[in-house]
PDB file of all heavy atoms in Angstrom:
ATOM      1  N   ALA A   1       8.629   3.620  -3.741  1.00  0.00           N
ATOM      2  CA  ALA A   1       8.606   2.154  -3.723  1.00  0.00           C
ATOM      3  C   ALA A   1       8.506   1.679  -2.283  1.00  0.00           C
ATOM      4  O   ALA A   1       9.506   1.690  -1.562  1.00  0.00           O
ATOM      5  CB  ALA A   1       9.856   1.587  -4.397  1.00  0.00           C
ATOM      6  N   PRO A   2       7.327   1.280  -1.834  1.00  0.00           N
ATOM      7  CA  PRO A   2       7.195   0.798  -0.459  1.00  0.00           C
ATOM      8  C   PRO A   2       7.514  -0.683  -0.328  1.00  0.00           C
ATOM      9  O   PRO A   2       7.368  -1.460  -1.291  1.00  0.00           O
ATOM     10  CB  PRO A   2       5.710   1.041  -0.163  1.00  0.00           C
ATOM     11  CG  PRO A   2       5.047   0.853  -1.498  1.00  0.00           C
ATOM     12  CD  PRO A   2       6.034   1.352  -2.526  1.00  0.00           C
ATOM     13  N   ASP A   3       7.972  -1.081   0.850  1.00  0.00           N
ATOM     14  CA  ASP A   3       7.914  -2.490   1.226  1.00  0.00           C
ATOM     15  C   ASP A   3       6.453  -2.780   1.543  1.00  0.00           C
ATOM     16  O   ASP A   3       5.883  -2.178   2.465  1.00  0.00           O
ATOM     17  CB  ASP A   3       8.757  -2.755   2.484  1.00  0.00           C
ATOM     18  CG  ASP A   3      10.253  -2.725   2.214  1.00  0.00           C
ATOM     19  OD1 ASP A   3      10.661  -2.980   1.079  1.00  0.00           O
ATOM     20  OD2 ASP A   3      11.006  -2.431   3.163  1.00  0.00           O
ATOM     21  N   LEU A   4       5.829  -3.662   0.795  1.00  0.00           N
ATOM     22  CA  LEU A   4       4.434  -4.005   1.097  1.00  0.00           C
ATOM     23  C   LEU A   4       4.339  -4.568   2.516  1.00  0.00           C
ATOM     24  O   LEU A   4       5.308  -5.141   3.033  1.00  0.00           O
ATOM     25  CB  LEU A   4       3.908  -5.020   0.087  1.00  0.00           C
ATOM     26  CG  LEU A   4       3.709  -4.485  -1.338  1.00  0.00           C
ATOM     27  CD1 LEU A   4       3.355  -5.628  -2.284  1.00  0.00           C
ATOM     28  CD2 LEU A   4       2.644  -3.396  -1.387  1.00  0.00           C
ATOM     29  N   PRO A   5       3.201  -4.383   3.179  1.00  0.00           N
ATOM     30  CA  PRO A   5       3.060  -4.857   4.556  1.00  0.00           C
ATOM     31  C   PRO A   5       3.479  -6.319   4.711  1.00  0.00           C
ATOM     32  O   PRO A   5       3.033  -7.199   3.980  1.00  0.00           O
ATOM     33  CB  PRO A   5       1.561  -4.671   4.831  1.00  0.00           C
ATOM     34  CG  PRO A   5       1.176  -3.504   3.978  1.00  0.00           C
ATOM     35  CD  PRO A   5       1.992  -3.664   2.720  1.00  0.00           C
ATOM     36  N   GLY A   6       4.390  -6.535   5.664  1.00  0.00           N
ATOM     37  CA  GLY A   6       4.902  -7.876   5.925  1.00  0.00           C
ATOM     38  C   GLY A   6       6.195  -8.191   5.208  1.00  0.00           C
ATOM     39  O   GLY A   6       6.841  -9.196   5.507  1.00  0.00           O
ATOM     40  N   PHE A   7       6.600  -7.342   4.260  1.00  0.00           N
ATOM     41  CA  PHE A   7       7.806  -7.578   3.484  1.00  0.00           C
ATOM     42  C   PHE A   7       8.846  -6.504   3.796  1.00  0.00           C
ATOM     43  O   PHE A   7       8.516  -5.409   4.246  1.00  0.00           O
ATOM     44  CB  PHE A   7       7.481  -7.600   1.989  1.00  0.00           C
ATOM     45  CG  PHE A   7       6.579  -8.735   1.607  1.00  0.00           C
ATOM     46  CD1 PHE A   7       5.198  -8.582   1.634  1.00  0.00           C
ATOM     47  CD2 PHE A   7       7.098  -9.970   1.247  1.00  0.00           C
ATOM     48  CE1 PHE A   7       4.350  -9.631   1.298  1.00  0.00           C
ATOM     49  CE2 PHE A   7       6.269 -11.021   0.917  1.00  0.00           C
ATOM     50  CZ  PHE A   7       4.889 -10.857   0.945  1.00  0.00           C
ATOM     51  N   GLY A   8      10.116  -6.835   3.529  1.00  0.00           N
ATOM     52  CA  GLY A   8      11.170  -5.879   3.833  1.00  0.00           C
ATOM     53  C   GLY A   8      11.140  -5.503   5.304  1.00  0.00           C
ATOM     54  O   GLY A   8      11.147  -6.354   6.186  1.00  0.00           O
ATOM     55  N   ARG A   9      11.063  -4.200   5.563  1.00  0.00           N
ATOM     56  CA  ARG A   9      11.038  -3.710   6.936  1.00  0.00           C
ATOM     57  C   ARG A   9       9.668  -3.187   7.353  1.00  0.00           C
ATOM     58  O   ARG A   9       9.536  -2.560   8.408  1.00  0.00           O
ATOM     59  CB  ARG A   9      12.090  -2.616   7.108  1.00  0.00           C
ATOM     60  CG  ARG A   9      13.529  -3.121   6.990  1.00  0.00           C
ATOM     61  CD  ARG A   9      14.529  -2.028   7.311  1.00  0.00           C
ATOM     62  NE  ARG A   9      14.517  -0.978   6.296  1.00  0.00           N
ATOM     63  CZ  ARG A   9      15.090   0.212   6.439  1.00  0.00           C
ATOM     64  NH1 ARG A   9      15.675   0.529   7.590  1.00  0.00           N
ATOM     65  NH2 ARG A   9      15.059   1.098   5.463  1.00  0.00           N
ATOM     66  N   SER A  10       8.640  -3.421   6.538  1.00  0.00           N
ATOM     67  CA  SER A  10       7.286  -2.993   6.903  1.00  0.00           C
ATOM     68  C   SER A  10       6.615  -4.034   7.793  1.00  0.00           C
ATOM     69  O   SER A  10       6.790  -5.235   7.609  1.00  0.00           O
ATOM     70  CB  SER A  10       6.429  -2.766   5.648  1.00  0.00           C
ATOM     71  OG  SER A  10       6.854  -1.631   4.935  1.00  0.00           O
ATOM     72  N   ASP A  11       5.845  -3.545   8.761  1.00  0.00           N
ATOM     73  CA  ASP A  11       5.108  -4.449   9.641  1.00  0.00           C
ATOM     74  C   ASP A  11       4.027  -5.182   8.854  1.00  0.00           C
ATOM     75  O   ASP A  11       3.473  -4.650   7.885  1.00  0.00           O
ATOM     76  CB  ASP A  11       4.461  -3.664  10.785  1.00  0.00           C
ATOM     77  CG  ASP A  11       5.478  -3.179  11.801  1.00  0.00           C
ATOM     78  OD1 ASP A  11       6.579  -3.750  11.855  1.00  0.00           O
ATOM     79  OD2 ASP A  11       5.172  -2.210  12.532  1.00  0.00           O
ATOM     80  N   PRO A  12       3.681  -6.407   9.262  1.00  0.00           N
ATOM     81  CA  PRO A  12       2.629  -7.155   8.565  1.00  0.00           C
ATOM     82  C   PRO A  12       1.253  -6.567   8.853  1.00  0.00           C
ATOM     83  O   PRO A  12       1.040  -5.937   9.885  1.00  0.00           O
ATOM     84  CB  PRO A  12       2.755  -8.567   9.147  1.00  0.00           C
ATOM     85  CG  PRO A  12       3.365  -8.367  10.498  1.00  0.00           C
ATOM     86  CD  PRO A  12       4.284  -7.192  10.361  1.00  0.00           C
ATOM     87  N   PRO A  13       0.301  -6.767   7.943  1.00  0.00           N
ATOM     88  CA  PRO A  13      -1.067  -6.307   8.198  1.00  0.00           C
ATOM     89  C   PRO A  13      -1.734  -7.202   9.235  1.00  0.00           C
ATOM     90  O   PRO A  13      -1.338  -8.351   9.430  1.00  0.00           O
ATOM     91  CB  PRO A  13      -1.737  -6.449   6.829  1.00  0.00           C
ATOM     92  CG  PRO A  13      -0.988  -7.557   6.163  1.00  0.00           C
ATOM     93  CD  PRO A  13       0.432  -7.443   6.642  1.00  0.00           C
ATOM     94  N   ASP A  14      -2.755  -6.660   9.890  1.00  0.00           N
ATOM     95  CA  ASP A  14      -3.495  -7.469  10.861  1.00  0.00           C
ATOM     96  C   ASP A  14      -4.164  -8.655  10.172  1.00  0.00           C
ATOM     97  O   ASP A  14      -4.199  -9.764  10.707  1.00  0.00           O
ATOM     98  CB  ASP A  14      -4.560  -6.601  11.552  1.00  0.00           C
ATOM     99  CG  ASP A  14      -3.941  -5.449  12.324  1.00  0.00           C
ATOM    100  OD1 ASP A  14      -2.811  -5.622  12.833  1.00  0.00           O
ATOM    101  OD2 ASP A  14      -4.570  -4.381  12.404  1.00  0.00           O
ATOM    102  N   ASN A  15      -4.692  -8.397   8.986  1.00  0.00           N
ATOM    103  CA  ASN A  15      -5.371  -9.440   8.214  1.00  0.00           C
ATOM    104  C   ASN A  15      -4.811  -9.389   6.801  1.00  0.00           C
ATOM    105  O   ASN A  15      -5.107  -8.462   6.052  1.00  0.00           O
ATOM    106  CB  ASN A  15      -6.883  -9.192   8.196  1.00  0.00           C
ATOM    107  CG  ASN A  15      -7.611 -10.149   7.266  1.00  0.00           C
ATOM    108  OD1 ASN A  15      -7.081 -11.200   6.903  1.00  0.00           O
ATOM    109  ND2 ASN A  15      -8.820  -9.784   6.875  1.00  0.00           N
ATOM    110  N   PRO A  16      -3.959 -10.347   6.409  1.00  0.00           N
ATOM    111  CA  PRO A  16      -3.266 -10.261   5.120  1.00  0.00           C
ATOM    112  C   PRO A  16      -4.149 -10.625   3.925  1.00  0.00           C
ATOM    113  O   PRO A  16      -3.784 -11.443   3.076  1.00  0.00           O
ATOM    114  CB  PRO A  16      -2.120 -11.257   5.291  1.00  0.00           C
ATOM    115  CG  PRO A  16      -2.659 -12.279   6.224  1.00  0.00           C
ATOM    116  CD  PRO A  16      -3.551 -11.531   7.187  1.00  0.00           C
ATOM    117  N   SER A  17      -5.315 -10.019   3.837  1.00  0.00           N
ATOM    118  CA  SER A  17      -6.213 -10.242   2.709  1.00  0.00           C
ATOM    119  C   SER A  17      -5.851  -9.276   1.593  1.00  0.00           C
ATOM    120  O   SER A  17      -5.138  -8.288   1.794  1.00  0.00           O
ATOM    121  CB  SER A  17      -7.665 -10.020   3.128  1.00  0.00           C
ATOM    122  OG  SER A  17      -7.865  -8.652   3.456  1.00  0.00           O
ATOM    123  N   ILE A  18      -6.377  -9.520   0.401  1.00  0.00           N
ATOM    124  CA  ILE A  18      -6.137  -8.603  -0.699  1.00  0.00           C
ATOM    125  C   ILE A  18      -6.729  -7.231  -0.368  1.00  0.00           C
ATOM    126  O   ILE A  18      -6.199  -6.195  -0.785  1.00  0.00           O
ATOM    127  CB  ILE A  18      -6.700  -9.172  -2.020  1.00  0.00           C
ATOM    128  CG1 ILE A  18      -6.169  -8.366  -3.211  1.00  0.00           C
ATOM    129  CG2 ILE A  18      -8.210  -9.234  -2.005  1.00  0.00           C
ATOM    130  CD1 ILE A  18      -6.455  -9.012  -4.547  1.00  0.00           C
ATOM    131  N   GLY A  19      -7.800  -7.211   0.429  1.00  0.00           N
ATOM    132  CA  GLY A  19      -8.388  -5.944   0.843  1.00  0.00           C
ATOM    133  C   GLY A  19      -7.437  -5.127   1.691  1.00  0.00           C
ATOM    134  O   GLY A  19      -7.396  -3.893   1.592  1.00  0.00           O
ATOM    135  N   ALA A  20      -6.638  -5.783   2.531  1.00  0.00           N
ATOM    136  CA  ALA A  20      -5.668  -5.068   3.360  1.00  0.00           C
ATOM    137  C   ALA A  20      -4.603  -4.408   2.494  1.00  0.00           C
ATOM    138  O   ALA A  20      -4.194  -3.272   2.753  1.00  0.00           O
ATOM    139  CB  ALA A  20      -5.025  -6.024   4.358  1.00  0.00           C
ATOM    140  N   TYR A  21      -4.163  -5.102   1.457  1.00  0.00           N
ATOM    141  CA  TYR A  21      -3.177  -4.514   0.555  1.00  0.00           C
ATOM    142  C   TYR A  21      -3.797  -3.403  -0.282  1.00  0.00           C
ATOM    143  O   TYR A  21      -3.136  -2.406  -0.596  1.00  0.00           O
ATOM    144  CB  TYR A  21      -2.542  -5.595  -0.319  1.00  0.00           C
ATOM    145  CG  TYR A  21      -1.611  -6.468   0.486  1.00  0.00           C
ATOM    146  CD1 TYR A  21      -2.027  -7.680   1.019  1.00  0.00           C
ATOM    147  CD2 TYR A  21      -0.309  -6.046   0.752  1.00  0.00           C
ATOM    148  CE1 TYR A  21      -1.175  -8.460   1.788  1.00  0.00           C
ATOM    149  CE2 TYR A  21       0.554  -6.824   1.515  1.00  0.00           C
ATOM    150  CZ  TYR A  21       0.111  -8.022   2.036  1.00  0.00           C
ATOM    151  OH  TYR A  21       0.952  -8.781   2.817  1.00  0.00           O
ATOM    152  N   HIS A  22      -5.069  -3.526  -0.627  1.00  0.00           N
ATOM    153  CA  HIS A  22      -5.762  -2.435  -1.309  1.00  0.00           C
ATOM    154  C   HIS A  22      -5.820  -1.191  -0.424  1.00  0.00           C
ATOM    155  O   HIS A  22      -5.607  -0.064  -0.905  1.00  0.00           O
ATOM    156  CB  HIS A  22      -7.179  -2.867  -1.672  1.00  0.00           C
ATOM    157  CG  HIS A  22      -7.260  -3.637  -2.954  1.00  0.00           C
ATOM    158  ND1 HIS A  22      -8.438  -3.829  -3.630  1.00  0.00           N
ATOM    159  CD2 HIS A  22      -6.302  -4.253  -3.699  1.00  0.00           C
ATOM    160  CE1 HIS A  22      -8.216  -4.529  -4.730  1.00  0.00           C
ATOM    161  NE2 HIS A  22      -6.918  -4.808  -4.780  1.00  0.00           N
ATOM    162  N   ARG A  23      -6.099  -1.367   0.845  1.00  0.00           N
ATOM    163  CA  ARG A  23      -6.165  -0.207   1.742  1.00  0.00           C
ATOM    164  C   ARG A  23      -4.793   0.456   1.881  1.00  0.00           C
ATOM    165  O   ARG A  23      -4.696   1.687   1.980  1.00  0.00           O
ATOM    166  CB  ARG A  23      -6.706  -0.640   3.116  1.00  0.00           C
ATOM    167  CG  ARG A  23      -8.186  -0.996   3.091  1.00  0.00           C
ATOM    168  CD  ARG A  23      -8.746  -1.206   4.479  1.00  0.00           C
ATOM    169  NE  ARG A  23      -8.240  -2.418   5.106  1.00  0.00           N
ATOM    170  CZ  ARG A  23      -8.773  -3.621   4.940  1.00  0.00           C
ATOM    171  NH1 ARG A  23      -9.829  -3.794   4.139  1.00  0.00           N
ATOM    172  NH2 ARG A  23      -8.266  -4.678   5.568  1.00  0.00           N
ATOM    173  N   PHE A  24      -3.746  -0.337   1.864  1.00  0.00           N
ATOM    174  CA  PHE A  24      -2.392   0.204   1.906  1.00  0.00           C
ATOM    175  C   PHE A  24      -2.116   1.058   0.662  1.00  0.00           C
ATOM    176  O   PHE A  24      -1.577   2.166   0.752  1.00  0.00           O
ATOM    177  CB  PHE A  24      -1.390  -0.949   2.006  1.00  0.00           C
ATOM    178  CG  PHE A  24       0.050  -0.527   2.035  1.00  0.00           C
ATOM    179  CD1 PHE A  24       0.620  -0.033   3.197  1.00  0.00           C
ATOM    180  CD2 PHE A  24       0.841  -0.629   0.898  1.00  0.00           C
ATOM    181  CE1 PHE A  24       1.960   0.360   3.227  1.00  0.00           C
ATOM    182  CE2 PHE A  24       2.176  -0.252   0.925  1.00  0.00           C
ATOM    183  CZ  PHE A  24       2.732   0.251   2.091  1.00  0.00           C
ATOM    184  N   ILE A  25      -2.496   0.553  -0.508  1.00  0.00           N
ATOM    185  CA  ILE A  25      -2.323   1.319  -1.745  1.00  0.00           C
ATOM    186  C   ILE A  25      -3.135   2.600  -1.693  1.00  0.00           C
ATOM    187  O   ILE A  25      -2.663   3.675  -2.092  1.00  0.00           O
ATOM    188  CB  ILE A  25      -2.726   0.458  -2.962  1.00  0.00           C
ATOM    189  CG1 ILE A  25      -1.801  -0.758  -3.094  1.00  0.00           C
ATOM    190  CG2 ILE A  25      -2.708   1.284  -4.242  1.00  0.00           C
ATOM    191  CD1 ILE A  25      -2.289  -1.790  -4.101  1.00  0.00           C
ATOM    192  N   THR A  26      -4.351   2.519  -1.197  1.00  0.00           N
ATOM    193  CA  THR A  26      -5.216   3.705  -1.107  1.00  0.00           C
ATOM    194  C   THR A  26      -4.562   4.800  -0.289  1.00  0.00           C
ATOM    195  O   THR A  26      -4.596   5.982  -0.666  1.00  0.00           O
ATOM    196  CB  THR A  26      -6.569   3.336  -0.493  1.00  0.00           C
ATOM    197  OG1 THR A  26      -7.233   2.388  -1.343  1.00  0.00           O
ATOM    198  CG2 THR A  26      -7.458   4.558  -0.320  1.00  0.00           C
ATOM    199  N   ARG A  27      -3.933   4.438   0.832  1.00  0.00           N
ATOM    200  CA  ARG A  27      -3.291   5.450   1.674  1.00  0.00           C
ATOM    201  C   ARG A  27      -2.188   6.173   0.918  1.00  0.00           C
ATOM    202  O   ARG A  27      -2.027   7.393   1.044  1.00  0.00           O
ATOM    203  CB  ARG A  27      -2.734   4.799   2.946  1.00  0.00           C
ATOM    204  CG  ARG A  27      -3.799   4.348   3.922  1.00  0.00           C
ATOM    205  CD  ARG A  27      -3.227   4.108   5.297  1.00  0.00           C
ATOM    206  NE  ARG A  27      -2.309   2.985   5.327  1.00  0.00           N
ATOM    207  CZ  ARG A  27      -2.681   1.712   5.491  1.00  0.00           C
ATOM    208  NH1 ARG A  27      -3.963   1.412   5.615  1.00  0.00           N
ATOM    209  NH2 ARG A  27      -1.781   0.749   5.534  1.00  0.00           N
ATOM    210  N   LEU A  28      -1.415   5.452   0.113  1.00  0.00           N
ATOM    211  CA  LEU A  28      -0.318   6.074  -0.615  1.00  0.00           C
ATOM    212  C   LEU A  28      -0.817   6.877  -1.816  1.00  0.00           C
ATOM    213  O   LEU A  28      -0.318   7.974  -2.088  1.00  0.00           O
ATOM    214  CB  LEU A  28       0.674   5.007  -1.073  1.00  0.00           C
ATOM    215  CG  LEU A  28       1.423   4.287   0.056  1.00  0.00           C
ATOM    216  CD1 LEU A  28       2.330   3.212  -0.513  1.00  0.00           C
ATOM    217  CD2 LEU A  28       2.242   5.268   0.887  1.00  0.00           C
ATOM    218  N   VAL A  29      -1.794   6.343  -2.545  1.00  0.00           N
ATOM    219  CA  VAL A  29      -2.325   7.068  -3.698  1.00  0.00           C
ATOM    220  C   VAL A  29      -2.997   8.361  -3.259  1.00  0.00           C
ATOM    221  O   VAL A  29      -2.894   9.397  -3.925  1.00  0.00           O
ATOM    222  CB  VAL A  29      -3.315   6.184  -4.490  1.00  0.00           C
ATOM    223  CG1 VAL A  29      -4.043   7.003  -5.559  1.00  0.00           C
ATOM    224  CG2 VAL A  29      -2.583   5.017  -5.149  1.00  0.00           C
ATOM    225  N   SER A  30      -3.672   8.344  -2.110  1.00  0.00           N
ATOM    226  CA  SER A  30      -4.425   9.511  -1.649  1.00  0.00           C
ATOM    227  C   SER A  30      -3.523  10.646  -1.188  1.00  0.00           C
ATOM    228  O   SER A  30      -4.012  11.747  -0.924  1.00  0.00           O
ATOM    229  CB  SER A  30      -5.380   9.115  -0.522  1.00  0.00           C
ATOM    230  OG  SER A  30      -4.667   8.653   0.614  1.00  0.00           O
ATOM    231  N   GLU A  31      -2.207  10.423  -1.096  1.00  0.00           N
ATOM    232  CA  GLU A  31      -1.291  11.499  -0.748  1.00  0.00           C
ATOM    233  C   GLU A  31      -1.186  12.538  -1.861  1.00  0.00           C
ATOM    234  O   GLU A  31      -0.761  13.665  -1.621  1.00  0.00           O
ATOM    235  CB  GLU A  31       0.109  10.932  -0.456  1.00  0.00           C
ATOM    236  CG  GLU A  31       0.184  10.078   0.790  1.00  0.00           C
ATOM    237  CD  GLU A  31       1.568   9.483   0.991  1.00  0.00           C
ATOM    238  OE1 GLU A  31       2.442   9.673   0.117  1.00  0.00           O
ATOM    239  OE2 GLU A  31       1.764   8.810   2.014  1.00  0.00           O
ATOM    240  N   ARG A  32      -1.550  12.144  -3.089  1.00  0.00           N
ATOM    241  CA  ARG A  32      -1.487  13.044  -4.235  1.00  0.00           C
ATOM    242  C   ARG A  32      -2.886  13.250  -4.797  1.00  0.00           C
ATOM    243  O   ARG A  32      -3.762  12.389  -4.649  1.00  0.00           O
ATOM    244  CB  ARG A  32      -0.567  12.461  -5.310  1.00  0.00           C
ATOM    245  CG  ARG A  32       0.887  12.273  -4.892  1.00  0.00           C
ATOM    246  CD  ARG A  32       1.607  13.594  -4.750  1.00  0.00           C
ATOM    247  NE  ARG A  32       1.687  14.305  -6.015  1.00  0.00           N
ATOM    248  CZ  ARG A  32       2.735  14.263  -6.848  1.00  0.00           C
ATOM    249  NH1 ARG A  32       3.805  13.549  -6.524  1.00  0.00           N
ATOM    250  NH2 ARG A  32       2.739  14.935  -7.983  1.00  0.00           N
ATOM    251  N   PRO A  33      -3.141  14.379  -5.484  1.00  0.00           N
ATOM    252  CA  PRO A  33      -4.451  14.585  -6.108  1.00  0.00           C
ATOM    253  C   PRO A  33      -4.775  13.490  -7.113  1.00  0.00           C
ATOM    254  O   PRO A  33      -3.875  12.870  -7.697  1.00  0.00           O
ATOM    255  CB  PRO A  33      -4.301  15.950  -6.795  1.00  0.00           C
ATOM    256  CG  PRO A  33      -3.194  16.632  -6.068  1.00  0.00           C
ATOM    257  CD  PRO A  33      -2.249  15.546  -5.658  1.00  0.00           C
ATOM    258  N   ALA A  34      -6.053  13.251  -7.332  1.00  0.00           N
ATOM    259  CA  ALA A  34      -6.485  12.247  -8.302  1.00  0.00           C
ATOM    260  C   ALA A  34      -5.894  12.561  -9.665  1.00  0.00           C
ATOM    261  O   ALA A  34      -5.879  13.707 -10.115  1.00  0.00           O
ATOM    262  CB  ALA A  34      -8.006  12.209  -8.383  1.00  0.00           C
ATOM    263  N   GLY A  35      -5.389  11.538 -10.317  1.00  0.00           N
ATOM    264  CA  GLY A  35      -4.812  11.703 -11.642  1.00  0.00           C
ATOM    265  C   GLY A  35      -3.332  11.988 -11.648  1.00  0.00           C
ATOM    266  O   GLY A  35      -2.725  12.123 -12.720  1.00  0.00           O
ATOM    267  N   ASP A  36      -2.707  12.070 -10.479  1.00  0.00           N
ATOM    268  CA  ASP A  36      -1.270  12.353 -10.403  1.00  0.00           C
ATOM    269  C   ASP A  36      -0.412  11.097 -10.336  1.00  0.00           C
ATOM    270  O   ASP A  36       0.809  11.180 -10.475  1.00  0.00           O
ATOM    271  CB  ASP A  36      -0.953  13.206  -9.168  1.00  0.00           C
ATOM    272  CG  ASP A  36      -1.197  14.684  -9.400  1.00  0.00           C
ATOM    273  OD1 ASP A  36      -1.752  15.023 -10.458  1.00  0.00           O
ATOM    274  OD2 ASP A  36      -0.847  15.490  -8.528  1.00  0.00           O
ATOM    275  N   THR A  37      -1.026   9.938 -10.095  1.00  0.00           N
ATOM    276  CA  THR A  37      -0.257   8.718  -9.828  1.00  0.00           C
ATOM    277  C   THR A  37      -0.340   7.729 -10.983  1.00  0.00           C
ATOM    278  O   THR A  37      -1.424   7.444 -11.503  1.00  0.00           O
ATOM    279  CB  THR A  37      -0.764   8.036  -8.540  1.00  0.00           C
ATOM    280  OG1 THR A  37      -0.594   8.929  -7.431  1.00  0.00           O
ATOM    281  CG2 THR A  37      -0.004   6.754  -8.263  1.00  0.00           C
ATOM    282  N   VAL A  38       0.821   7.221 -11.364  1.00  0.00           N
ATOM    283  CA  VAL A  38       0.899   6.064 -12.258  1.00  0.00           C
ATOM    284  C   VAL A  38       1.270   4.869 -11.380  1.00  0.00           C
ATOM    285  O   VAL A  38       2.338   4.856 -10.764  1.00  0.00           O
ATOM    286  CB  VAL A  38       1.952   6.264 -13.364  1.00  0.00           C
ATOM    287  CG1 VAL A  38       2.084   4.997 -14.205  1.00  0.00           C
ATOM    288  CG2 VAL A  38       1.579   7.447 -14.249  1.00  0.00           C
ATOM    289  N   LEU A  39       0.373   3.906 -11.310  1.00  0.00           N
ATOM    290  CA  LEU A  39       0.580   2.736 -10.462  1.00  0.00           C
ATOM    291  C   LEU A  39       1.325   1.681 -11.270  1.00  0.00           C
ATOM    292  O   LEU A  39       0.906   1.307 -12.369  1.00  0.00           O
ATOM    293  CB  LEU A  39      -0.773   2.207  -9.989  1.00  0.00           C
ATOM    294  CG  LEU A  39      -0.802   1.192  -8.848  1.00  0.00           C
ATOM    295  CD1 LEU A  39      -0.062   1.710  -7.621  1.00  0.00           C
ATOM    296  CD2 LEU A  39      -2.249   0.849  -8.492  1.00  0.00           C
ATOM    297  N   VAL A  40       2.447   1.229 -10.736  1.00  0.00           N
ATOM    298  CA  VAL A  40       3.322   0.284 -11.427  1.00  0.00           C
ATOM    299  C   VAL A  40       3.452  -0.962 -10.556  1.00  0.00           C
ATOM    300  O   VAL A  40       3.874  -0.874  -9.402  1.00  0.00           O
ATOM    301  CB  VAL A  40       4.716   0.900 -11.672  1.00  0.00           C
ATOM    302  CG1 VAL A  40       5.600  -0.074 -12.444  1.00  0.00           C
ATOM    303  CG2 VAL A  40       4.601   2.228 -12.416  1.00  0.00           C
ATOM    304  N   GLY A  41       3.088  -2.108 -11.092  1.00  0.00           N
ATOM    305  CA  GLY A  41       3.129  -3.330 -10.293  1.00  0.00           C
ATOM    306  C   GLY A  41       3.796  -4.475 -11.014  1.00  0.00           C
ATOM    307  O   GLY A  41       3.671  -4.628 -12.234  1.00  0.00           O
TER     308      GLY A  41
END
């Protein structure tokens, strides 16, 4: 469970667009092989 960029103790994104939050999710999902992650929002 991450603090999304700008929330909690995470630093804010340079550009707080939905694309920036997508890139953040991509970094975390890519830590595991494809098909290993259940995304809960």
Side-chain angles (χ1 to χ4, degrees):
D3 286 334
L4 291 173
F7 296 89
R9 293 186 292 166
S10 290
D11 288 339
D14 298 328
N15 173 19
S17 66
I18 193 169
Y21 288 96
H22 276 197
R23 289 189 290 274
F24 179 78
I25 296 169
T26 298
R27 289 197 293 274
L28 294 177
V29 171
S30 63
E31 293 177 356
R32 298 289 297 264
D36 277 8
T37 299
V38 175
L39 194 55
V40 182

